[in-house]
Amino acid sequence: MTQAIRLTNTGGPDVMKWETFDPGRPGSGELRIKHTAVGLNFIDIYHREGAYPLPLPTGLGVEGVGIVVDVGVGVTDFKPGDRIAYAGGPPGAYAFERLIPAGRAVLLPEYIEDEVAASVFFKGLTVEYLIRRCYPVEKGDTVLWHAAAGGVGTLAGQWLSDIGATVIGTVGSDAKASHALQNGYTHTVNYKSEDFVARVRELTDGVGVAVAYDSVGKDTIMGSLDCVRTRGTLVSFGTTSGPTPPIDLATLGGKGSLYLTRASVAHYTAKRPELENAADAVFSMLKAGKLRAAEPTRFALKDVADAHRELQSGKTSGSVILVP
């Protein structure tokens, strides 16, 4: 028997409840793992609130690091004792032990510590597909990234800086501006005290950015369109401020024949070779010191409700992890 956070109805942080359960033996193609660290991501909040509906009851959490305890029939790439990281697949990471599809796991290199992996893996996969495959950023491109001091934004600034891009990041405080500038951003814009559209236009001499990455949604999406240069791209990949409003396709033409995509890491890592290649890229960047995992904000797994409140309030910078 083990313990896990379970959800029987959606709502605020207090709907998450401890339960004792038996994950059972792994089925065909599955691993049973014992977590050493769990990553907290905004998608967990979307699941908890019901914005991204899940069949209830359900577990929560889509990212974890741990030790393989047992393997199911047909699993040949993993064995008991292996250290693994995973992202995606059925929610259920908020648990001491769980079953996961072996196809979502990758072996964790010995040079990467468990808490570093929990801080970086899912967020690193997200940055990788956004800047290398969704819109391939090139040296000399000017990029706008919202929520620059968050866990994904921090890694994005580092990676984009290594590519040689000029990176403009929006933040909500002077402290977060300082954090962003220390992590690869060329310029920051405090959206609470500045008009980010006007400031981006000023910084780009009126031209606009090659690509804008928007995980905020309702509060920023239309402004993001106004920041993009002619024939540039807007990548929407989150809605932390609420769902985006409908956008008439004619608007994209009127603003300069813009490209718009609503992207998901699930679609860019669904095939095993894509997941492995993306993981290798993240691990290589970490090994080279080009991605640097800042000290994460830690919460005990049993205090996950407090962790959700902190993340949702925007008080955190960098990554938040849960420790079983």
Side-chain angles (χ1 to χ4, degrees):
M1 302 296 285
T2 189
Q3 289 182 303
I5 295 291
R6 301 283 292 175
L7 204 66
T8 56
N9 58 288
T10 57
D14 292 332
V15 300
M16 296 182 289
K17 305 296 183 185
W18 271 111
E19 286 188 9
T20 299
F21 81 111
D22 181 4
R25 292 289 306 278
S28 177
E30 289 186 325
L31 307 175
R32 178 164 172 163
I33 65 166
K34 181 178 181 180
H35 283 124
T36 54
V38 173
L40 179 60
N41 297 282
F42 231 95
I43 193 172
D44 304 349
I45 292 173
Y46 300 152
H47 285 155
R48 188 249 299 158
E49 292 181 332
Y52 293 179
L54 297 173
L56 298 174
T58 184
L60 280 179
V62 296
E63 174 184 25
V65 176
I67 305 295
V68 176
V69 175
D70 197 4
V71 302
V73 173
V75 175
T76 58
D77 294 338
F78 303 96
K79 64 183 185 303
D82 283 342
R83 296 171 64 237
I84 62 96
Y86 70 91
Y94 295 1
F96 287 103
E97 294 190 22
R98 70 166 299 191
L99 303 179
I100 63 165
R104 298 309 306 170
V106 297
L107 289 169
L108 192 59
E110 59 184 33
Y111 58 83
I112 300 178
E113 297 179 357
D114 292 9
E115 290 193 358
V116 170
S119 300
V120 168
F121 187 55
F122 192 28
K123 297 172 181 64
L125 293 180
T126 299
V127 173
E128 186 278 333
Y129 93 84
L130 287 171
I131 70 173
R132 296 177 78 218
R133 294 186 284 142
C134 190
Y135 176 91
V137 177
E138 298 180 352
K139 182 178 181 179
D141 280 343
T142 301
V143 175
L144 171 63
W145 197 288
H146 289 290
V152 176
T154 296
L155 297 177
Q158 296 172 8
W159 205 325
L160 289 165
S161 176
D162 182 69
I163 290 172
T166 297
V167 197
I168 304 170
T170 65
V171 295
S173 70
D174 290 343
K176 290 191 174 186
S178 177
H179 176 91
L181 291 170
Q182 292 170 18
N183 284 279
Y185 285 83
T186 316
H187 308 282
T188 59
V189 183
N190 188 331
Y191 64 87
K192 291 185 177 179
S193 59
E194 299 178 86
D195 180 334
F196 78 83
V197 176
R199 183 61 177 143
V200 168
R201 284 289 173 180
E202 178 184 357
L203 290 169
T204 59
D205 295 324
V207 174
V209 298
V211 57
Y213 293 99
D214 193 322
S215 63
V216 177
K218 178 174 66 71
D219 290 350
T220 55
I221 196 73
M222 298 309 295
S224 293
L225 283 173
D226 289 331
C227 292
V228 177
R229 73 185 185 194
T230 298
R231 292 168 53 189
T233 299
L234 170 58
V235 181
S236 169
F237 68 103
T239 54
T240 59
S241 68
T244 57
I247 297 174
D248 188 333
L249 292 179
T251 301
L252 304 179
K255 292 184 180 294
S257 297
L258 306 184
Y259 296 87
L260 170 63
T261 182
R262 180 65 168 89
S264 169
V265 65
H267 300 140
Y268 283 82
T269 59
K271 297 178 180 178
R272 182 70 188 178
E274 290 181 327
L275 173 61
E276 291 177 339
N277 289 339
D280 286 346
V282 173
F283 294 155
S284 294
M285 291 288 287
L286 284 167
K287 186 175 184 180
K290 295 177 179 180
L291 285 187
R292 304 172 303 280
E295 191 73 13
T297 301
R298 296 176 180 84
F299 288 86
L301 182 57
K302 65 181 178 62
D303 296 327
V304 65
D306 292 335
H308 272 229
R309 292 186 186 97
E310 286 288 300
L311 181 62
Q312 199 163 12
S313 71
K315 294 179 181 178
T316 61
S317 294
S319 296
V320 180
I321 65 170
L322 307 172
V323 182

